[in-house]
Amino acid sequence: MQFSNAIQSRFLKAFHAGIVAVTLLIGSAGSSYAQENPGESAWDGNEYASARLISATTAVGQDEALRLGLQFRMQPGWKIYWRSPGDAGLPPVADWTGSDNVEAVSMQWPVPKRFEIFDIGTLGYEDAVVFPLTVTPIHSGAPIQLNGEIDFLVCAEICIPGHASVALDLPTGKPDLASGAHLIDQYRATVPATDTALAGMTVTHASLQHRPQDQVELGITVTAQGAPFTQPDAFIEGPGGAYFDAPKVSLSDDKMSAVLRVTAPPRMTLTSLQEEGVTVTVVDGPRALESHITPIQDALPLDSAMAGPTDQITLWTILGIALLGGLILNLMPCVLPVLSLKLMSVLAKSGKSAASIRAGFLASSAGIIVSFLLLAGAAIGVKQAGLSVGWGIQFQQPVFLALMVALITLFACNLLGLFEFRLPGRLGDRAAAMGAGRDSLFHDFLTGAFATLLATPCSAPFLGTAVGFALGAGPLEILAVFLALGLGLALPYLMVAMVPDLVRFLPRPGRWMLALKGVLALALAGTAAWLLTVLSATIGTENALAVGALALLAALVLGTRKLAGSRLARAAWPVSAVLALAAVLAPLTMTPHSPTAGGQSHADASGIQWQQFDPGAISNLVAGGKTVFVDVTADWCVTCQWNKKTVVEVGSVADWLSGPDVIAMKADWTQPDPVISDFLAQHGRYGIPFNIVYGPAAPQGIALPELLTANAVKSAAVQADPQARIATSD
């Protein structure tokens, strides 16, 4: 599979010429194609692999740089190669000279996969890959035509040279999102970062050592930022395209440092490595860093590299942290909307038997724990699929938000007495025999599950550490940590189940509860209205109002059951169920709003000028003497809004953020955004709120607690820049 460069060049040129000849015989169909979908070109290639162009937008707009992608798809068992293919193979080569209104095309390389057969190691991609392209037009706003001649090598047991002619026209006009935008962003997120803050790791040392038989060993020390290492690897490119095998990895006790050792290829001298250096791409799960380094000749810094805290953070420690984080979650603002359900569940059990009280609270606990296990299963599935995963990301999905609106409406109708939860068959008879009455075990179970769903938008103290550890680890760790979180959230219920006599001190149910139910139903209606405002950020205000109208109509139909002689009352349940289902499924038929990465620049009511989130600009701003405050937030994150109203936008903190030496960046995660997801993952965070301060004295950033205080922000501001002008008291 290894060809000389001269043979490769002649073969590819001959193969290309053959394709051109065949194309001329059958007409000009090969160079002109019908663009079936805006932002997508036709596929071209051979029977084993084909390529096409896709665009993130349907038109050029006024952007100075356009986001496109070169997409490959391969037959099962076939692969193409990375820019440094390894012991054999050739990377794809693109020629864009036939394009119109195109000044430059920059092609990026996602993290490759290792392949090995018969001791031959290669790096590349199987099944499918998208190479993100940054296209710079000569004249911004004018239409472009990107024409590419792509030569590639596709291999299985044998290698077949391939060629694809691809062309894509982008007209002038409004740059609406094209169907390929998400796919381009998905692969762009896997391109190694060159900024250490974005990558979440730093190459701190590179050394060379002589080994027997004139071999040279390269040792690279890497330090993690935020989350510890899980399974680091490195792809090393030497002078002249030299290929290095997979390194041997040694981790420190705390897994915050790693030494990667690899033997240089034969005939690779210590002098050539020192003079020309190597390009190292370090990969650890979703984070990756690309660095060009010049190693020095010395001993490997084993002592310093492997030094770490003497107390290793074990899984048992994380489980304890998760248990405490779940318990504290009961007190977070995110859980307050479900307070009415908790309160009514507790009050209704006053005066009941100990067995009934215990069964009800155990059912609520089961609802919480089962929900957390389902979340863990979903997180494992999403992670195994190679997608970004985070705490509360389901609130970014319009269908989930519509489902929550429908469920909240359902619970409000239950509080108003429009219907009762009933268990089927023998379960219902058993619940009645236990005195469960209106608040059946099914209702208690749903209350626990509902509390879990409303708790997930926000982080709590200790919870971020536990979730970050779990989502950065394997499936078993995810299940264990989420189970501990569920037990923590359910702990108050379990305590009452253990000592049911505690409920007997509460006042007995009476007519006064009818008025309380009305107040609490109104609180749930307010929660539904809030969720509709979150939904409007995704599908638009008119569409969100339509979803709300369907949910309200479902409630009104249920209300007819209280009207004597109403014909509609006989069919109230099926009609309201259809309306509720229509409300849940309606977002699938609605056009979502186009997301803007990180949000747009704007000034808020406090006078803070929030800049568009640009993680790549942070290091340059800090190098220029600026302090950067990053606020990762979302409309659905109640704790984020609490932080904003009580700390960020008031008093001396707001004055500091409005100062000339401070750049305030807002990363809006209301809708899915791979840039923000990657930024969180690089700092070992998988949930929000997340705030971090960068400055001349803290270029790697100082992360702030989930629940902000003015003192915490001020302390970080001074640490990041000792010259910071911020009042010590308000």
Side-chain angles (χ1 to χ4, degrees):
M1 292 192 296
Q2 181 71 48
F3 305 109
S4 69
N5 291 336
I7 295 176
Q8 293 167 4
S9 177
R10 293 193 194 102
F11 191 87
L12 291 175
K13 287 181 179 178
F15 189 79
H16 185 192
I19 290 180
V20 173
V22 173
T23 302
L24 291 175
L25 289 174
I26 62 175
S28 59
S31 59
S32 63
Y33 64 93
Q35 240 173 265
E36 297 179 0
N37 297 315
E40 296 179 2
S41 76
W43 289 98
D44 192 29
N46 58 32
E47 60 180 305
Y48 307 107
S50 55
R52 70 172 179 176
L53 289 172
I54 56 176
S55 173
T57 57
T58 57
V60 295
Q62 297 298 322
D63 292 336
E64 296 181 357
L66 305 175
R67 293 184 298 132
L68 283 83
L70 176 60
Q71 182 181 7
F72 276 86
R73 63 182 181 187
M74 289 75 76
Q75 292 295 325
W78 293 79
K79 61 181 179 292
I80 62 172
Y81 293 95
W82 192 46
R83 66 186 182 209
S84 293
D87 288 331
L90 288 172
V93 178
D95 181 4
W96 310 104
T97 54
S99 302
D100 186 29
N101 190 31
V102 174
E103 181 177 356
V105 180
S106 174
M107 180 169 157
Q108 295 177 297
W109 300 82
V111 171
K113 179 180 178 181
R114 291 189 183 277
F115 301 95
E116 187 167 343
I117 181 171
F118 304 124
D119 294 326
I120 298 175
T122 58
L123 303 173
Y125 314 92
E126 60 182 353
D127 297 330
V129 67
V130 174
F131 298 101
L133 305 175
T134 300
V135 179
T136 304
I138 299 174
H139 305 290
S140 298
I144 72 165
Q145 183 183 61
L146 185 63
N147 296 323
E149 300 296 332
I150 316 298
D151 291 314
F152 59 90
L153 191 67
V154 55
C155 296
E157 287 78 14
I158 61 172
C159 290
I160 305 295
H163 179 85
S165 297
V166 293
L168 181 63
D169 294 327
L170 286 180
T172 186
K174 180 182 177 183
D176 294 326
L177 279 185
S179 58
H182 176 70
L183 190 61
I184 294 172
D185 288 340
Q186 178 182 336
Y187 280 94
R188 190 181 295 273
T190 67
V191 174
T194 56
D195 185 286
T196 57
L198 293 178
M201 64 181 86
T202 305
V203 176
T204 56
H205 192 84
S207 62
L208 296 169
Q209 279 189 326
H210 272 300
R211 291 301 184 201
Q213 300 178 349
D214 293 329
Q215 289 184 326
V216 177
E217 184 177 77
L218 172 66
I220 300 169
T221 304
V222 189
T223 303
Q225 303 170 9
F229 286 119
T230 55
Q231 194 172 357
D233 190 7
F235 308 111
I236 304 172
E237 302 166 81
Y243 171 71
F244 290 71
D245 290 327
K248 296 180 180 179
V249 180
S250 300
L251 288 174
S252 62
D253 290 339
D254 62 350
K255 297 185 179 181
M256 296 300 291
S257 296
V259 172
L260 302 95
R261 302 182 190 84
V262 63
T263 301
R267 298 183 300 278
M268 181 63 61
T269 66
L270 187 146
T271 301
S272 62
L273 287 170
Q274 286 181 311
E275 290 179 350
E276 301 184 45
V278 294
T279 298
V280 179
T281 301
V282 183
V283 179
D284 182 58
R287 53 184 176 177
L289 172 68
E290 179 183 318
S291 300
H292 185 80
I293 58 177
T294 302
I296 60 176
Q297 183 180 3
D298 66 358
L300 290 176
L302 295 178
D303 294 338
S304 60
M306 306 311 295
T310 56
D311 297 328
Q312 184 178 358
I313 299 179
T314 65
L315 178 59
W316 290 108
T317 303
I318 292 295
L319 293 179
I321 292 174
L323 187 69
L324 185 57
L327 178 61
I328 297 176
L329 200 59
N330 282 281
L331 305 176
M332 299 300 291
C334 295
V335 188
L336 293 181
V338 82
L339 180 62
S340 58
L341 302 177
K342 290 185 177 182
L343 184 59
M344 292 308 304
S345 176
V346 173
L347 290 175
K349 289 176 174 53
S350 178
K352 299 290 181 68
S353 67
S356 175
I357 295 171
R358 181 177 291 111
F361 279 92
L362 286 176
S364 295
S365 301
I368 293 172
I369 294 170
V370 168
S371 298
F372 267 97
L373 291 177
L374 290 175
L375 288 174
I380 292 171
V382 172
K383 187 176 179 182
Q384 293 297 322
L387 303 175
S388 61
V389 60
W391 179 254
I393 59 174
Q394 69 270 21
F395 276 77
Q396 298 174 342
Q397 305 304 319
V399 172
F400 177 82
L401 290 170
L403 174 63
M404 294 300 293
V405 170
L407 286 177
I408 288 176
T409 303
L410 186 69
F411 274 105
C413 290
N414 174 250
L415 284 175
L416 294 174
L418 300 184
F419 74 95
E420 298 176 358
F421 289 103
R422 296 292 185 190
L423 286 170
R426 295 180 179 179
L427 289 177
D429 296 339
R430 183 174 178 82
M434 294 175 63
R438 175 173 299 179
D439 293 285
S440 66
L441 297 180
F442 183 57
H443 181 277
D444 290 322
F445 182 90
L446 288 181
T447 299
F450 198 57
T452 302
L453 290 177
L454 283 178
T456 52
C458 302
S459 292
F462 300 105
L463 183 138
T465 302
V467 172
F469 176 90
L471 297 182
L476 291 179
E477 288 84 354
I478 292 176
L479 281 172
V481 171
F482 273 66
L483 177 60
L485 287 170
L487 288 172
L489 185 62
L491 195 56
Y493 294 91
L494 293 172
M495 291 178 64
V496 176
M498 292 174 60
V499 189
D501 288 343
L502 292 174
V503 177
R504 296 185 179 182
F505 292 100
L506 297 173
R508 291 182 175 274
R511 295 185 61 84
W512 61 273
M513 289 184 64
L514 297 177
L516 180 60
K517 284 184 176 182
V519 174
L520 297 180
L522 186 61
L524 283 180
T527 303
W530 164 67
L531 286 174
L532 287 173
T533 63
V534 177
L535 185 60
S536 67
T538 304
I539 62 175
T541 302
E542 293 183 358
N543 290 334
L545 288 176
V547 171
L550 288 170
L552 179 60
L553 190 57
L556 293 176
V557 170
L558 281 177
T560 61
R561 301 175 75 242
K562 293 293 184 179
L563 300 177
S566 172
R567 294 183 178 179
L568 183 57
R570 301 175 184 174
W573 258 119
V575 172
S576 61
V578 169
L579 291 170
L581 182 62
V584 173
L585 299 180
L588 294 176
T589 66
M590 299 170 177
T591 303
H593 274 188
S594 301
T596 301
Q600 296 179 335
S601 301
H602 68 282
D604 60 22
S606 63
I608 302 172
Q609 183 65 43
W610 291 100
Q611 301 296 321
Q612 182 173 344
F613 178 59
D614 183 4
I618 293 176
S619 58
N620 291 333
L621 290 169
V622 171
K626 298 291 186 181
T627 299
V628 180
F629 177 86
V630 177
D631 178 27
V632 185
T633 182
D635 291 348
W636 41 262
C637 174
V638 180
T639 307
C640 301
Q641 310 308 319
W642 174 270
N643 287 340
K644 181 176 69 173
K645 296 299 182 183
T646 59
V647 177
V648 176
E649 295 184 353
V650 296
S652 57
V653 173
D655 295 337
W656 170 67
L657 289 172
S658 303
D661 298 325
V662 179
I663 303 297
M665 284 189 180
K666 180 167 291 186
D668 190 347
W669 209 32
T670 301
Q671 299 183 59
D673 189 328
V675 175
I676 298 176
S677 301
D678 292 344
F679 181 77
L680 289 171
Q682 288 156 9
H683 289 85
R685 300 296 183 93
Y686 292 87
I688 57 175
F690 176 59
N691 300 93
I692 187 168
V693 181
Y694 299 88
Q700 305 304 326
I702 301 171
L704 297 173
E706 286 86 355
L707 274 178
L708 287 183
T709 64
N711 288 335
V713 177
K714 294 173 186 177
S715 175
V718 174
Q719 291 181 54
D721 181 8
Q723 306 300 320
R725 291 175 289 182
I726 183 169
T728 56
S729 62
D730 292 321

